[in-house]
């Protein structure tokens, strides 16, 4: 169904297929239709998403279902333009739903498809480059999808598949035969005869290992001078990254030399073809993750009316990282974003280097937590001394930020006859939760790590 495709495509964003399968089955069992998802509570949605990460996807999927019910009568739109009006659906997801569920003749371009296209064309760029993922990639993929229908119209029997099948085949090739580890020379790869990457590898291997020194020197001179579109007197190729062709040339040359030295009995042609394939597309520029140091308070107690062990939790703001998720009270005590101020923003070299995370004084961490918890609990309780967990801190990594978490723990011996949940002055929500409650609201893997540390 179009709804099932929609859910799977959202789950598969930045998550492996193997990890998604069980979540998708559970999700479709609980929310089998757009209407059932639209009627679910945010906490029910979070509980079904817990562990997949990138929780914003779940919030947008939930909001999108409500829009589809309100504006489309619960029927998922069947064209790209209307689909892109739904929350959380961009060009890629809209095209996937339209082509796979409705057979609309549109391309679908993701990182795997961009890798296939780079190797088919020899474009020296990375798969996240705008020209690949937003422009040229779609143009090339569209030609492939439309070639299917053009070829099929000339044959009595259409064995070339639907647009959705062609798109899925391209994505599957990018994940298998044409994965980053693909050789480009596997006889079972249906594209093995069409890769420009392997042809470039063979050509570079021939030149760099030729006894014709003059030709080799001339080509290397041209590369060094930027004859591949970087000369001031020439218009630079807009498809390749600046210096992309020369970087690819030297990467392929170095790879060939290294592989020949370790595998001297393998044919030059084979080594060169694999090297050319391995070096395209070129690697994306690396960007250091933002580092944040957090002080985390883990406070347990028992509620008088049910005697269950419960943990003090707060709900994150409705916007930003992990929006709307429940977590242990915590405060940021250091961040690399503020460490060097304006100098850090200007220093590109530094941004690529590993960031040194300082050890923040325990007293400073505790004072910051005291102040924060005083806004959640009555002050006498908030100020009760917590035990510093002196083991190494817990590290939790997101796509763009790394949290280093120092834990402080305290169990309140007296029963606390408070509401299980209440509103704070800043608009956030707090509450005492049992572990069953945590399962119901869908806590994150970071919270699981902290809980395991103190139990």
């Amino acid at each position: 169904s179009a709804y099932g495709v929609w859910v799977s495509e959202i789950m598969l964003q930045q998550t492996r297929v193997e990890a998604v399968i069980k979540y998708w089955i559970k999700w479709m069992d609980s929310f089998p239709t757009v209407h059932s998802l639209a009627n679910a509570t945010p906490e029910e949605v979070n509980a079904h998403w817990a562990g997949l990460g990138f929780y914003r996807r779940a919030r947008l999927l939930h909001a999108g279902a409500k829009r589809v019910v309100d504006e489309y009568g619960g029927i998922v739109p069947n064209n790209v333009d209307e689909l892109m009006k739904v929350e959380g659906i961009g060009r890629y997801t809209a095209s996937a739903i339209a082509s796979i569920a409705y057979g609309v003749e549109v391309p679908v371009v993701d990182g795997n498809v961009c890798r296939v296209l780079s190797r088919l064309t020899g474009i020296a760029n990375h798969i996240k480059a705008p020209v690949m993922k937003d422009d040229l990639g779609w143009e090339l993929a569209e030609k492939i999808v439309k070639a299917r229908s053009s070829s099929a119209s000339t044959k009595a029997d259409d064995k070339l598949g639907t647009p959705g099948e062609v798109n899925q085949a391209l994505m599957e090739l990018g994940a298998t035969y044409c994965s980053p580890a693909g050789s480009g020379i596997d006889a079972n790869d249906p594209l093995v005869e069409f890769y420009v990457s392997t042809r470039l590898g063979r050509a570079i291997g021939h030149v760099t290992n030729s006894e014709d020194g003059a030709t080799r020197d001339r080509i290397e001179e041209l590369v060094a001078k930027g004859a591949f579109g970087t000369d001031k007197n020439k218009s630079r190729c807009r498809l390749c990254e600046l210096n992309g062709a020369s970087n690819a040339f030297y990467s392929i040359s170095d790879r060939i030399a290294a592989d020949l030295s370790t595998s001297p009995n393998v044919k030059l042609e084979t080594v060169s073809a694999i090297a050319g394939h391995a070096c395209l597309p070129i690697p994306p520029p690396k960007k250091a993750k933002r580092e944040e140091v957090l002080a985390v308070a883990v406070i347990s107690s028992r509620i008088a009316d049910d005697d269950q062990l419960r943990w003090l939790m707060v709900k994150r703001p409705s916007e930003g990282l992990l929006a709307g998720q429940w977590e242990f009270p915590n405060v940021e005590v250091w961040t690399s974003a503020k460490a060097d101020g304006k100098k850090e923003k200007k220093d590109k070299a530094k941004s690529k280097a590993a960031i040194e995370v300082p050890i923040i004084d325990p007293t400073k961490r505790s004072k910051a937590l005291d102040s924060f918890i005083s806004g959640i609990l009555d002050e006498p309780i908030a100020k009760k001394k917590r035990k510093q967990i002196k083991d190494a801190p817990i590290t939790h990594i997101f796509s763009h930020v790394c949290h280093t978490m120092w834990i402080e723990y305290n169990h309140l011996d007296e029963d606390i006859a408070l509401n299980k949940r209440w509103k704070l002055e800043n608009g956030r929500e707090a509450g005492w939760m049992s572990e069953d409650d945590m399962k119901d609201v869908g806590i994150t893997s970071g919270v699981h790590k902290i809980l395991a540390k103190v139990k």
Side-chain angles (χ1 to χ4, degrees), residues 129-395:
V131 71
M132 285 295 291
K133 68 182 183 68
D134 299 330
D135 188 8
L136 180 68
W138 290 89
E139 181 182 329
L140 293 174
E142 183 177 28
K143 290 181 179 180
I144 294 174
V145 173
K146 290 191 172 179
R148 175 209 66 85
S149 59
S150 298
S151 299
S153 66
T154 66
K155 298 181 180 181
D157 183 18
D158 180 4
K159 296 182 179 179
L160 301 178
T162 65
E165 288 170 339
V166 172
N167 283 321
Q168 290 180 90
L170 280 172
M171 290 186 280
E172 183 68 12
L173 279 169
T176 55
Y177 290 115
C178 200
S179 70
S183 68
I185 62 171
D186 191 320
N188 294 316
D189 185 344
L191 299 178
V192 69
E193 296 179 8
F194 303 99
Y195 289 125
V196 171
S197 56
T198 55
R199 289 185 231 166
L200 284 170
R202 292 186 185 101
I204 292 171
H206 175 74
V207 168
T208 55
N209 289 274
S210 172
E211 294 181 2
D212 184 356
T215 301
R216 182 176 65 250
D217 292 344
R218 174 59 179 157
I219 290 178
E220 291 183 350
E221 181 184 356
L222 289 172
V223 172
K225 287 184 176 180
F228 287 81
T230 55
D231 273 352
K232 292 181 179 178
N233 297 328
K234 296 180 180 287
S235 59
R236 186 174 72 81
C237 171
R238 300 301 174 188
L239 304 181
C240 295
E241 186 185 46
L242 181 64
N243 297 323
S246 59
N247 288 340
F249 177 89
Y250 287 113
S251 294
I252 294 170
S253 299
D254 292 345
R255 173 72 179 256
I256 292 171
D259 288 352
L260 285 175
S261 66
T262 56
S263 305
N265 296 324
V266 180
K267 290 182 179 180
L268 171 63
E269 181 178 346
T270 300
V271 168
S272 300
I274 294 173
H277 203 65
C279 295
L280 287 175
I282 64 175
K286 291 184 179 180
K287 184 178 179 181
K289 293 181 185 291
R290 185 172 78 252
E291 296 279 356
E292 293 178 353
V293 177
L294 306 180
V296 182
V298 180
I299 301 174
S300 62
S301 185
R302 296 184 185 277
I303 303 297
D305 62 353
D306 64 10
D307 198 39
Q308 283 195 66
L309 182 65
R310 294 179 181 270
W311 310 82
L312 180 64
M313 307 287 284
V314 292
K315 196 173 187 179
R316 289 183 66 87
S318 58
E319 299 291 335
L321 181 68
L322 300 177
Q325 296 293 315
W326 286 89
E327 64 183 4
F328 293 112
N330 68 83
V331 289
E332 177 193 285
V333 292
W334 181 88
T335 172
S336 61
K338 299 177 182 177
D340 293 330
K342 295 180 180 178
K343 180 181 179 182
E344 183 178 274
K345 294 181 181 179
K346 295 179 180 179
D347 189 352
K348 294 183 180 180
K350 180 178 288 187
S351 68
K352 294 181 181 180
I355 298 171
E356 185 175 347
V357 179
I359 296 178
I360 305 301
D361 181 72
T363 303
K364 180 180 177 180
R365 299 197 306 255
S366 290
K367 286 183 177 179
L369 277 173
D370 286 344
S371 177
F372 183 72
I373 297 171
S374 293
I376 304 174
L377 300 174
D378 292 337
E379 189 163 334
I381 300 175
K383 292 292 180 69
K384 283 184 175 290
K385 189 173 180 61
R386 299 175 299 276
K387 177 184 177 183
Q388 301 258 356
I389 306 297
K390 295 184 179 179
D391 296 341
I394 295 173
T395 300

Side-chain angles (χ1 to χ4, degrees), residues 79-81 83-84 89-99 106 108:
N79 65 83
V80 171
D81 289 340
L83 282 163
M84 288 182 67
I89 297 183
R91 186 180 182 183
Y92 166 82
T93 304
S95 299
I97 296 170
S99 70
V106 290
V108 179

Side-chain angles (χ1 to χ4, degrees), residues 21-158:
I21 293 174
K22 64 179 181 180
Y23 284 93
W24 186 87
I25 292 172
K26 181 181 177 183
W27 183 283
M28 296 303 291
D29 282 344
S30 299
F31 313 123
T33 66
V34 178
H35 283 95
S36 60
L37 175 57
N39 292 330
T41 66
E43 290 183 347
E44 287 173 331
V45 171
N46 282 338
H48 283 72
W49 199 273
L52 269 178
F54 301 99
Y55 290 85
R56 184 170 180 267
R57 297 179 295 175
R59 295 195 304 276
L60 291 175
L61 184 56
H62 193 199
K66 292 179 179 179
R67 180 181 295 277
V68 169
V69 168
D70 292 342
E71 298 187 12
Y72 301 98
I75 299 174
V76 178
N78 63 1
N79 65 83
V80 171
D81 289 340
E82 291 299 316
L83 282 163
M84 288 182 67
K85 295 178 182 178
V86 177
E87 286 85 346
I89 297 183
R91 186 180 182 183
Y92 166 82
T93 304
S95 299
I97 296 170
S99 70
I100 296 171
Y102 295 116
V104 180
E105 198 172 74
V106 290
V108 179
V109 176
D110 64 359
N112 285 331
V113 173
C114 283
R115 184 182 309 107
V116 173
L117 296 174
S118 172
R119 288 170 168 175
L120 285 173
T121 58
I123 294 172
N125 214 324
H126 57 88
I127 60 177
K128 295 182 180 180
V131 71
M132 285 295 291
K133 68 182 183 68
D134 299 330
D135 188 8
L136 180 68
W138 290 89
E139 181 182 329
L140 293 174
E142 183 177 28
K143 290 181 179 180
I144 294 174
V145 173
K146 290 191 172 179
R148 175 209 66 85
S149 59
S150 298
S151 299
S153 66
T154 66
K155 298 181 180 181
D157 183 18
D158 180 4

